[in-house]
Amino acid sequence: MARSSGVLMHISSLPGDYSIGTFGKEAKNFIDFLASCGFSYWQVLPFTMVDECNSPYKSFSAFGGNPFFIDPEILFEQSLITAEELKSAKQKTPYSCEFDRLRTERMELLSAASKRVTDRSKVLEFIESKPYIKQCCEFLSLKTANSEKEWPEWTVDKPCNETLFMWQFIQYEFFRQWQIVLDYAHSKGIKVIGDIPIYVSFDSSDVWGNKDLFLLDSDYKPTDVAGVPPDYFSADGQLWGNPLYDWDKMKADGYSWWKARLQNMFTLFDGVRIDHFRGLESYWSVPATAQTAKEGRWNKGPGKPFIDMINSICGENFIIAEDLGEITPEVVELVKYSKFPGMRVFQFGFLSDCDSPHQPHNYPENCIAYTGTHDNNTLLGYVWELNDEARRGMLEYCGYFDKNWDACYDRIIATMMASHAGTVIFPIQDLLKYGSDTRLNTPGKAEGNWSYRLTKEQLNSLNREQYKRLNYLYRR
């Protein structure tokens, strides 16, 4: 990857008038912002449907898109919803995602739109060309027919035809609208980086339709589940609860499900970050009956043969290895073997006096460096929460000596820009210098995550010439 920079912001955080960011005009406006600042990349989070905690990392499908990202104004322009319906979809607040409203009112709106499609041939042709999207639509329709129960409890095996078409229309329209945004990004010289969670949800079309590829017992219940051991984020570790893959069976058929998953991502994005990449070398396996992740153990992952498969299908797309967490020499070796850029996080660099790989002077060229990720505090929140000694050391490292340290953020960003890292990425909150109240996610915390949004006025308040100059000075 050429020396470059970018901004991390999920679609949900985009400005707009309809309870969540969408693929409408504000997405194009954000691309204009990136281009005017000299940035090269827009990094987003998973495009999948969210769970009950609004997380996109545990979805009903690894292939299907989030219905909430479909732009109502575009539906109105297509005469699929009325002016009155568009008006009723207007949000009550511009500052956070209104997930409760979206789950009811937005889905009703999309259902109404699907019933007004006069020529269904394009929708059905698209669905037939995407077997796993087709599987996703069938799963969601059957879930509705079975009163939203988990799939092992289903008794109805035939979906309502109108419900099925609603989901088919939603997926068609999702991919159609995003393709327009992606083409616009490319026309402005912006590439988009997506995010692929390593695991899938038990209650998903992925497990329902591919039971033999997961570690399930005879009653289709997981025998072991995913998580991570105790770490910086959690003393008990994190018990994610996702079913684990049967890697032996996946290898036996050439990783066909994973190939399809990655190829689907490569139609959506120019590059993809594989979340929890270390799980491909060794993964934390927790008995399904365990109360915390501390009861787990390490098992060997698919390793180099899996990496070879990824490299065989990448083409012009690229992969980012999220190599954070408990990293062993074996994980380092797998990342090196893959030739994928790994990740470095500024906030992890000053937690002790050690010469951390997360300090900018240690960044290799083949890495993506972040001030923080979607799981971190904002940069402002991080600086305020550091103890005095750690803060002084970090600021001195960045060449900032003013006693009024609440104006240090531009200096930190410049330090990142000047680093040897091939690419640096900044969460939008860090460019805005916003505090921890705008943090997107706190790992291990079930409530209050994923809802942050910014307004058009806030985005326009940023000094574009400042970032354009930094990108020029440091040849990004």
Side-chain angles (χ1 to χ4, degrees):
M1 296 173 68
R3 193 166 169 83
S4 54
S5 63
V7 176
L8 168 62
M9 186 182 71
H10 196 28
I11 299 296
S12 60
S13 295
L14 280 167
D17 297 323
Y18 300 99
S19 300
I20 195 170
T22 71
F23 295 152
K25 62 180 182 294
E26 296 296 351
K28 292 182 177 180
N29 290 341
F30 185 68
I31 291 165
D32 291 339
F33 162 78
L34 294 173
S36 67
C37 292
F39 291 118
S40 302
Y41 291 104
W42 177 7
Q43 183 166 349
V44 296
L45 300 180
F47 273 12
T48 49
M49 289 163 272
V50 299
D51 69 0
E52 65 277 5
C53 296
N54 307 319
S55 169
Y57 286 89
K58 198 173 182 181
S59 180
F60 290 128
S61 171
F63 293 82
N66 188 338
F68 305 152
F69 293 166
I70 293 173
D71 185 64
E73 290 187 351
I74 296 176
L75 295 179
F76 173 70
E77 291 165 6
Q78 295 174 290
S79 300
L80 294 176
I81 63 173
T82 66
E84 184 178 347
E85 287 170 334
L86 181 66
K87 183 179 179 181
S88 69
K90 287 286 184 79
Q91 65 205 16
K92 292 182 170 62
T93 174
Y95 300 111
S96 61
C97 298
E98 298 175 326
F99 287 112
D100 289 340
R101 284 190 67 199
L102 290 165
R103 284 190 174 91
T104 54
E105 297 175 27
R106 186 59 46 84
M107 292 308 299
E108 290 172 1
L109 185 69
L110 292 171
S111 177
S114 72
K115 290 180 173 66
R116 293 169 185 148
V117 176
T118 54
D119 181 4
R120 297 189 172 192
S121 60
K122 287 184 179 180
V123 175
L124 298 176
E125 181 181 341
F126 168 81
I127 294 298
E128 288 301 320
S129 71
K130 305 280 187 180
Y132 286 105
I133 299 294
K134 181 178 181 180
Q135 191 176 80
C136 165
C137 295
E138 291 170 351
F139 173 85
L140 291 167
S141 304
L142 283 168
K143 191 168 176 64
T144 298
N146 285 277
S147 305
E148 305 303 324
K149 294 176 182 177
E150 291 193 346
W151 61 263
E153 301 175 34
W154 290 355
T155 55
V156 179
D157 59 5
K158 185 174 175 56
C160 165
N161 287 336
E162 284 305 310
T163 303
L164 177 60
F165 183 75
M166 178 194 75
W167 281 111
Q168 292 170 336
F169 164 75
I170 284 171
Q171 294 307 312
Y172 168 81
E173 188 65 13
F174 174 95
F175 281 85
R176 191 192 72 81
Q177 288 193 14
W178 172 246
Q179 188 62 54
I180 293 170
V181 175
L182 185 62
D183 290 344
Y184 186 79
H186 291 165
S187 76
K188 296 292 183 177
I190 302 297
K191 292 184 177 181
V192 184
I193 302 171
D195 196 305
I196 186 166
I198 189 171
Y199 295 119
V200 298
S201 173
F202 172 71
D203 192 26
S204 68
S205 62
D206 310 299
V207 181
W208 168 73
N210 308 275
K211 303 176 187 68
D212 59 322
L213 298 180
F214 296 85
L215 297 179
L216 308 177
D217 63 21
S218 58
D219 294 323
Y220 299 130
K221 294 180 179 179
T223 57
D224 297 89
V225 296
V228 291
D231 61 9
Y232 169 75
F233 290 117
S234 174
D236 285 333
Q238 298 176 44
L239 186 58
W240 295 338
N242 309 75
L244 295 173
Y245 301 113
D246 188 329
W247 285 115
D248 289 337
K249 288 186 179 177
M250 286 192 157
K251 183 178 181 180
D253 78 346
Y255 304 109
S256 62
W257 181 86
W258 265 99
K259 278 184 179 178
R261 187 183 188 190
L262 288 164
Q263 287 164 340
N264 182 59
M265 296 293 283
F266 292 153
T267 67
L268 294 167
F269 309 110
D270 301 288
V272 178
R273 186 192 84 129
I274 298 181
D275 188 54
H276 196 60
F277 184 88
R278 70 102 53 245
L280 300 178
E281 191 285 319
S282 293
Y283 58 93
W284 193 246
S285 175
V286 185
T289 56
Q291 297 300 306
T292 73
K294 289 192 294 187
E295 300 175 50
R297 64 192 183 281
W298 289 109
N299 288 340
K300 295 300 290 184
K304 291 180 180 179
F306 189 80
I307 300 302
D308 293 339
M309 177 276 291
I310 295 176
N311 278 320
S312 73
I313 65 171
C314 269
E316 296 182 359
N317 301 94
F318 59 89
I319 296 289
I320 298 171
E322 190 267 286
D323 54 347
L324 306 175
E326 186 174 335
I327 302 304
T328 63
E330 291 80 8
V331 177
V332 173
E333 170 58 29
L334 189 64
V335 175
K336 183 179 179 181
Y337 176 83
S338 73
K339 297 184 173 59
F340 304 151
M343 289 176 58
R344 299 294 183 270
V345 180
F346 180 87
Q347 290 190 27
F348 294 158
F350 302 90
L351 300 176
S352 69
D353 292 333
C354 297
D355 186 21
S356 169
H358 294 283
Q359 292 182 352
H361 70 277
N362 284 324
Y363 294 167
E365 182 179 357
N366 189 34
C367 84
I368 316 292
Y370 300 77
T371 43
T373 73
H374 66 277
D375 281 335
N376 289 105
N377 203 341
T378 65
L379 186 59
L380 187 154
Y382 163 77
V383 172
W384 275 79
E385 291 180 8
L386 280 175
N387 63 58
D388 289 342
E389 183 179 357
R391 186 188 302 112
R392 279 196 302 271
M394 181 273 291
L395 294 178
E396 182 180 1
Y397 180 96
C398 295
Y400 186 88
F401 300 97
D402 194 320
K403 292 182 180 179
N404 180 24
W405 51 262
D406 62 352
C408 66
Y409 308 101
D410 288 339
R411 187 62 241 156
I412 295 172
I413 287 173
T415 299
M416 295 285 288
M417 285 282 207
S419 75
H420 195 52
T423 302
V424 292
I425 302 283
F426 305 103
I428 189 66
Q429 297 97 316
D430 292 354
L431 299 186
L432 288 162
K433 305 180 182 67
Y434 284 174
S436 56
D437 58 325
T438 65
R439 179 173 181 166
L440 191 61
N441 182 49
T442 303
K445 178 185 173 187
E447 304 296 328
N449 293 320
W450 310 109
S451 64
Y452 166 72
R453 293 180 71 199
L454 75 162
T455 66
K456 186 175 182 179
E457 292 75 21
Q458 290 167 344
L459 184 64
N460 288 339
S461 72
L462 288 169
N463 186 338
R464 302 181 187 206
E465 289 301 317
Q466 173 189 353
Y467 297 110
K468 186 176 182 180
R469 183 63 180 169
L470 284 173
N471 278 306
Y472 170 76
L473 283 174
Y474 299 114
R475 302 302 186 260
R476 296 193 179 277

